[in-house]
Amino acid sequence: MGYRRFFIDPHHLRQAEPFLEGEEARHVLRVLRLGPGDRIALFDDTGWEFTGRITGVHSGRVYYQVLEKKWVPRESPLRITLAVPLIRPQPLEWIYQKGTELGVTAFWLYYSQHSGHNFSDKESSGKQERWKRIITEAAKQCGRNRLPELKAPCSYDQVLEAESSALRIMPYEEENVYTLKEIADRYPEAEHILACVGPEGGFTPEEIRRAREKNFFTPSLGPRTLRAETAALTLIGLVQYLWGDLRKN
Ligand code: SAM
């Protein structure tokens, strides 16, 4: 990937003189010390990538002209919705960052019996903004031109009822019968995966029983008990290998 990448709102490009402002402008000027004549890469969550040349800086805005527009597909053909339990802030943010790099299409925070407390609306919106920034930064860094969706937090039952067309996978550390590989042998073609990992305290047997009733597979991820964030990223890596863009066609 050539030039430093910046995220822009799609409507920006419809302006006569498009510009970067706020955090992105500060990054250009103060961190990268770029100026008129320098080239930058831009993306707007449509899948297109734009090459721009800085034309001027004025009241904290970095003006640029678009030199080129390219369709640069770096999205996996596999749609992955990752249902994430409410865990400690740092590992949760880690899942958002690394999950974006690994090609997750949508993140969905859920509350279950063993997950942490429910955020108040005020807390939740503040957190959502921060998590969106982490996801955008990760997309900038890894070259994605589409941003994973950050769905509104929900309950465990809402996850069980959702996306019924997806292949539904919920790794369970008490499971000792089958693995992801066996699921892939039975269902070699999958276009959409709904993956749900458990919280630090794990799933209750009742939660697992209800999930199986809703056609969730509960494979083992091996004999060691992984932290929720390790299980989540291992699972995403494996589903990309078994059904996504990490597998050899
Ligand atoms: N229940 C355990 C406990 O009480 O300490 C640990 C839960 S683990 C920290 C969090 C989640 O990661 C689990 O609910 C499961 O979804 C997943 N997980 C961790 N290790 C796993 C394994 N070896 N096989 C399948 N899933 C695993």
Side-chain angles (χ1 to χ4, degrees):
M1 273 166 291
Y3 306 117
R4 299 302 293 259
R5 293 164 37 88
F6 298 91
F7 176 68
I8 48 173
D9 285 338
H11 74 269
H12 265 216
L13 288 172
R14 286 193 284 278
Q15 292 163 340
E17 283 196 291
F19 57 82
L20 295 173
E21 58 188 343
E23 203 40 55
E24 295 290 60
R26 269 191 294 283
H27 195 75
V28 168
L29 299 172
R30 306 247 183 89
V31 182
L32 302 173
R33 301 198 175 288
L34 299 177
D38 290 327
R39 296 190 177 202
I40 52 177
L42 306 135
F43 68 105
D44 62 355
D45 194 18
T46 60
W48 290 95
E49 194 166 286
F50 308 86
T51 303
R53 180 173 43 217
I54 298 174
T55 53
V57 178
H58 184 61
S59 7
R61 287 179 170 178
V62 177
Y63 290 84
Y64 60 87
Q65 74 177 119
V66 173
L67 301 175
E68 190 191 14
K69 173 181 181 176
K70 279 186 305 199
W71 180 253
V72 187
R74 293 201 187 95
E75 293 302 295
S76 171
L78 180 66
R79 232 179 99 204
I80 303 173
T81 302
L82 176 61
V84 186
L86 180 63
I87 55 177
R88 286 159 298 121
Q90 220 283 321
L92 184 57
E93 292 177 1
W94 211 62
I95 291 177
Y96 289 136
Q97 183 192 54
K98 310 299 177 193
T100 299
E101 292 172 45
L102 289 167
V104 167
T105 318
F107 294 102
W108 202 8
L109 184 75
Y110 75 89
Y111 305 109
S112 69
Q113 280 195 31
H114 285 164
S115 70
H117 75 291
N118 294 18
F119 287 134
S120 66
D121 290 354
K122 189 163 170 298
E123 268 181 311
S124 180
S125 64
K127 297 268 180 202
Q128 292 279 90
E129 283 319 304
R130 176 175 168 74
W131 296 333
K132 276 196 186 121
R133 269 201 311 280
I134 289 168
I135 287 168
T136 305
E137 281 308 312
K140 280 167 62 173
Q141 179 274 327
C142 74
R144 285 184 74 171
N145 292 321
R146 303 299 310 261
L147 295 177
E149 182 194 356
L150 188 58
K151 297 161 79 84
C154 70
S155 69
Y156 177 73
D157 288 329
Q158 286 170 295
V159 174
L160 295 190
E161 296 302 332
E163 308 189 5
S164 51
S165 63
L167 184 60
R168 307 145 80 77
I169 297 175
M170 181 181 286
Y172 182 40
E173 65 281 7
E174 307 300 333
E175 175 65 58
N176 50 24
V177 176
Y178 65 93
T179 66
L180 271 170
K181 177 77 175 60
E182 281 145 313
I183 301 171
D185 292 345
R186 269 171 64 188
Y187 301 91
E189 300 304 328
E191 284 161 13
H192 182 196
I193 302 263
L194 171 57
C196 179
V197 289
E200 271 127 7
F203 294 113
T204 65
E206 167 61 14
E207 285 173 330
I208 288 291
R209 187 188 62 71
R210 283 192 286 123
R212 286 173 175 158
E213 267 174 16
K214 296 286 180 186
N215 302 321
F216 272 86
F217 290 99
T218 58
S220 168
L221 292 176
R224 295 168 296 283
T225 300
L226 312 175
R227 288 175 180 276
E229 63 272 23
T230 316
L233 298 172
T234 306
L235 180 61
I236 300 304
L238 288 171
V239 298
Q240 285 289 24
Y241 176 71
L242 292 166
W243 291 284
D245 59 4
L246 295 189
R247 80 175 176 176
K248 275 252 166 303
N249 283 328

